[in-house]
Amino acid sequence: MLVVDEGESTAPAIVFLHGIPGSVDWFAAVAERMVAHYRVIRVDLHELGADGDFSAAARTAPLRALVDDLDLVEVTVVGHSFGAEIALELAATSHRVACVVVVGQAPDYRAASIPSAAKWVVRPWAVRLAQRWTPGPVIRLANRPVFAPRFRYDSAPGLAEALVRDFRAALPTGLAYAAGARADDFAATPLDLRARALDQPVLVVHGRRDNLYDSTETLARFAAAGADTHLVEHAGHSPQVEQPDEFVSVLGEFIRSR
């Protein structure tokens, strides 16, 4: 498991968990802005679930071992999209976590704009074919709806290349899970209920222009569960990429207040 560990070892620690498809690059701009005052740890999650077990508990186990090995205390865990349930599970199972930040993820798929047929179409074999044969420009074009309408790839250095690289590197079974069985897991135990059950404070950050999950319903449900919420006006599904300055400001204020 690749870990990018930056900053002073004695500084307050933040662990960043990316979505799928995604990588540590999706928190690069945030890390650059925070590393002077925090210990910034970005974890590559590509291999989690490689054995076919995508339960939050199974995917969290290596992260729990990591924070133990690094002897982190009072750590903030930030999970974007597919990493959100891992962040919440880590807080529920590790005394080392002080607070949790959920980014761009609804409590379940009730507020999702994911076609119901996706679970029948997004199969591992189909994903493998797409990863092998889809040209880079088509991958970048297909990702446009993930971001706010006026967002430009060149405003985030390296993002255009990361979109292609991360899609080709993603676990086909993971993408299939995200389009199918993940909805059932969330229906059984929505993330807002998981957040409510925590002793640690939770912050939820969501972009108003998110085309995957309705921002109004998402933030309302998490707020009702006791979480702090923040709406990023000019962002889509990935506010940490699209508006890193605002994201860092909100995250830093949340950490200091706790």
Side-chain angles (χ1 to χ4, degrees):
M1 184 168 61
L2 171 67
V3 177
V4 181
D5 189 348
E6 302 170 295
E8 292 293 333
S9 61
T10 56
I14 311 175
V15 173
F16 291 100
L17 309 175
H18 63 78
I20 184 172
S23 68
V24 296
D25 296 322
W26 289 65
F27 282 104
V30 171
E32 180 182 356
R33 288 161 170 78
M34 303 194 80
V35 72
H37 302 288
Y38 295 91
R39 182 178 181 180
V40 178
I41 302 168
R42 292 177 284 157
V43 184
D44 189 314
L45 306 178
H46 280 114
E47 296 304 315
L48 299 189
D51 59 356
D53 188 348
F54 287 96
S55 66
R59 288 185 291 146
T60 300
L63 275 300
R64 193 164 54 249
L66 174 67
V67 298
D68 287 343
D69 289 344
L70 295 177
D71 196 23
L72 301 180
V73 295
E74 296 293 306
V75 63
T76 298
V77 182
V78 181
H80 173 228
S81 193
F82 204 65
E85 61 261 43
I86 303 178
L88 290 168
E89 180 71 15
L90 185 59
T93 58
S94 174
H95 67 279
R96 297 179 182 276
V97 177
C99 53
V100 183
V101 182
V102 171
V103 185
Q105 180 58 59
D108 51 36
Y109 280 24
R110 279 169 36 191
S113 299
I114 300 174
S116 58
K119 64 181 179 180
W120 306 110
V121 176
V122 184
R123 300 288 190 169
W125 64 267
V127 173
R128 292 187 190 96
L129 288 176
Q131 288 175 315
R132 181 174 181 180
W133 296 109
T134 306
V138 175
I139 294 173
R140 286 188 283 270
L141 181 62
N143 274 278
R144 279 302 319 164
V146 175
F147 303 96
R150 296 184 180 180
F151 177 74
R152 295 165 44 206
Y153 287 159
D154 60 8
S155 68
L159 178 63
E161 295 77 15
L163 288 170
V164 177
R165 181 176 62 250
D166 295 342
F167 174 69
R168 300 203 194 283
L171 279 175
T173 50
L175 289 171
Y177 169 76
R182 188 175 186 238
D184 298 329
D185 289 346
F186 278 16
T189 315
L191 297 191
D192 54 340
L193 296 187
R194 302 185 203 185
R196 184 191 295 276
L198 292 179
D199 294 327
Q200 302 95 324
V202 177
L203 169 67
V204 179
V205 181
H206 213 91
R208 182 180 292 279
R209 307 304 294 271
D210 190 336
N211 291 312
L212 292 180
Y213 304 103
D214 181 84
S215 60
T216 301
E217 180 176 342
T218 292
L219 295 182
R221 287 181 60 185
F222 274 114
D228 291 349
T229 63
H230 180 81
L231 179 65
V232 182
E233 287 286 346
H234 303 292
H237 184 59
S238 303
Q240 82 280 11
V241 175
E242 300 169 74
Q243 299 293 337
D245 288 328
E246 180 175 350
F247 183 86
V248 166
S249 176
V250 171
L251 175 57
E253 182 179 348
F254 175 68
I255 294 172
R256 288 189 297 273
S257 72
R258 301 301 177 179

